[in-house]
């Protein structure tokens, strides 16, 4: 069964407590928290003070996805705010190995995100230092976009790389995950499903999370 990580980017920001309570009751495993700086991506979301509050509202894993430039400047602050998993973008990190070492030395799991145009093979010499690879299946910056089908090939190639090297690295898929495509995404080799709009725009978010869990 996949790990389910609802993205709070699609939550009701005036009623975050209510949405956190719903996720706590649900079969969601992780809270996916999207941080955007208006530079690496053409949007701004929320940052440290909001994550600090969410941290206090849940015991579940806080999975922080940084869509920001120079993420190394903020790794310590996100650790203090309560991140368990910290994911940086390959495209934002000219010294990726250093960034990953820093994240792990702070006691967090280290993730690397790939934009839709970035090939998975670029990670072949760093895979052993990564706890999780996040494959963006939409262009980062906004919720509610359509899943890019080529992502399925990327998942299969990455899964093969991980299996050949006999590594425990997780694969997370982020963007355009729906109840219709979740099963094929998991079948391709995905461990963690992120879902924003599919969960928070549904009539019964808890039931939707339970359905995703069965994918
Ligand atoms: C997009 C974010 C996603 C977003 C996914 O840049 O990284 O986590 O919330 O939203 P949906 O599931 O609606 O595509
Ligand atoms: Zn995300």
């Amino acid at each position: 069964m996949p790990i389910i990580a609802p993205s709070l980017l699609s939550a009701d920001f005036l009623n975050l407590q209510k949405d956190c309570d719903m996720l706590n009751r649900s079969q969601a495993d992780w809270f996916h928290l999207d941080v955007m700086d208006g530079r690496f991506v053409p949007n701004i979301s929320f940052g440290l003070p909001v994550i600090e509050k969410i941290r206090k509202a849940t015991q579940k894993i806080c999975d922080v996805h940084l869509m920001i430039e120079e993420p190394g400047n903020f790794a310590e602050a996100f650790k203090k705010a309560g991140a368990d998993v910290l994911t940086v973008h390959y495209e934002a990190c000219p010294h990726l190995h250093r960034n990953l070492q820093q994240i792990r030395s702070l006691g967090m799991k280290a993730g690397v995100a790939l934009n839709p145009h970035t090939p998975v093979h670029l990670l072949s010499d760093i895979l052993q230092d990564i706890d999780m690879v996040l494959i963006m299946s939409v262009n980062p910056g906004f919720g509610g976009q359509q899943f890019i089908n080529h992502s399925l090939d990327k998942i299969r190639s990455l899964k093969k790389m991980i299996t050949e090297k006999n590594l425990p690295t997780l694969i997370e898929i982020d963007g355009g995950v729906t109840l219709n495509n979740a099963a094929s995404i998991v079948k391709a080799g995905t461990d963690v499903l992120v879902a924003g709009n599919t969960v928070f725009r549904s009539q019964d978010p808890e039931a939707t999370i339970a359905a995703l869990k069965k994918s």
Side-chain angles (χ1 to χ4, degrees):
M1 277 210 259
I3 291 167
I4 306 300
S7 166
L8 280 91
L9 188 61
S10 300
D12 177 355
F13 290 164
L14 272 182
N15 292 286
L16 272 179
Q17 180 79 57
K18 186 172 143 272
D19 281 342
C20 288
D21 291 344
M22 179 278 291
L23 292 179
N24 286 336
R25 279 192 311 269
S26 80
Q27 290 181 50
D29 303 279
W30 294 4
F31 280 35
H32 184 81
L33 303 166
D34 290 299
V35 178
M36 307 178 187
D37 66 355
R39 288 181 59 81
F40 180 70
V41 285
N43 198 7
I44 296 174
S45 55
F46 51 78
L48 292 159
V50 174
I51 292 178
E52 252 173 63
K53 293 291 183 189
I54 292 174
R55 171 74 287 168
K56 296 202 171 83
T58 188
Q59 310 270 5
K60 299 195 183 195
I61 300 281
C62 284
D63 170 35
V64 176
H65 176 191
L66 295 183
M67 285 162 273
I68 68 174
E69 288 182 0
E70 301 188 59
N73 296 345
F74 289 96
E76 206 174 331
F78 280 102
K79 169 67 186 176
K80 283 201 183 114
D84 300 297
V85 184
L86 195 65
T87 296
V88 296
H89 265 264
Y90 177 88
E91 302 82 6
C93 296
H95 304 287
L96 183 60
H97 185 267
R98 180 182 296 152
N99 293 118
L100 297 173
Q101 276 187 322
Q102 180 197 22
I103 293 169
R104 281 181 162 181
S105 72
L106 288 164
M108 295 178 283
K109 298 284 185 199
V112 176
L114 301 178
N115 276 340
H117 72 277
T118 305
V120 293
H121 71 76
L122 289 175
L123 298 180
S124 66
D125 286 304
I126 187 91
L127 209 48
Q128 66 283 352
D129 298 307
I130 305 176
D131 296 301
M132 182 175 81
V133 178
L134 183 164
I135 294 181
M136 283 303 314
S137 39
V138 299
N139 283 295
F142 304 91
Q145 303 179 77
Q146 219 196 332
F147 184 83
I148 298 169
N149 260 316
H150 177 67
S151 314
L152 291 170
D153 291 331
K154 291 178 74 173
I155 300 165
R156 284 189 277 264
S157 307
L158 178 62
K159 185 71 183 176
K160 195 160 169 268
M161 285 164 63
I162 291 170
T163 310
E164 277 170 9
K165 290 176 191 281
N166 200 18
L167 292 168
T169 321
L170 297 176
I171 301 178
E172 179 174 57
I173 293 304
D174 188 6
V177 173
T178 67
L179 288 172
N180 290 329
N181 62 20
S184 56
I185 295 169
V186 171
K187 191 162 169 256
T190 299
D191 304 288
V192 188
L193 286 176
V194 175
N197 269 28
T198 291
V199 167
F200 287 99
R201 300 282 172 275
S202 76
Q203 291 274 19
D204 185 345
E206 273 186 74
T208 302
I209 291 167
L212 285 170
K213 190 80 189 162
K214 290 203 184 86
S215 307

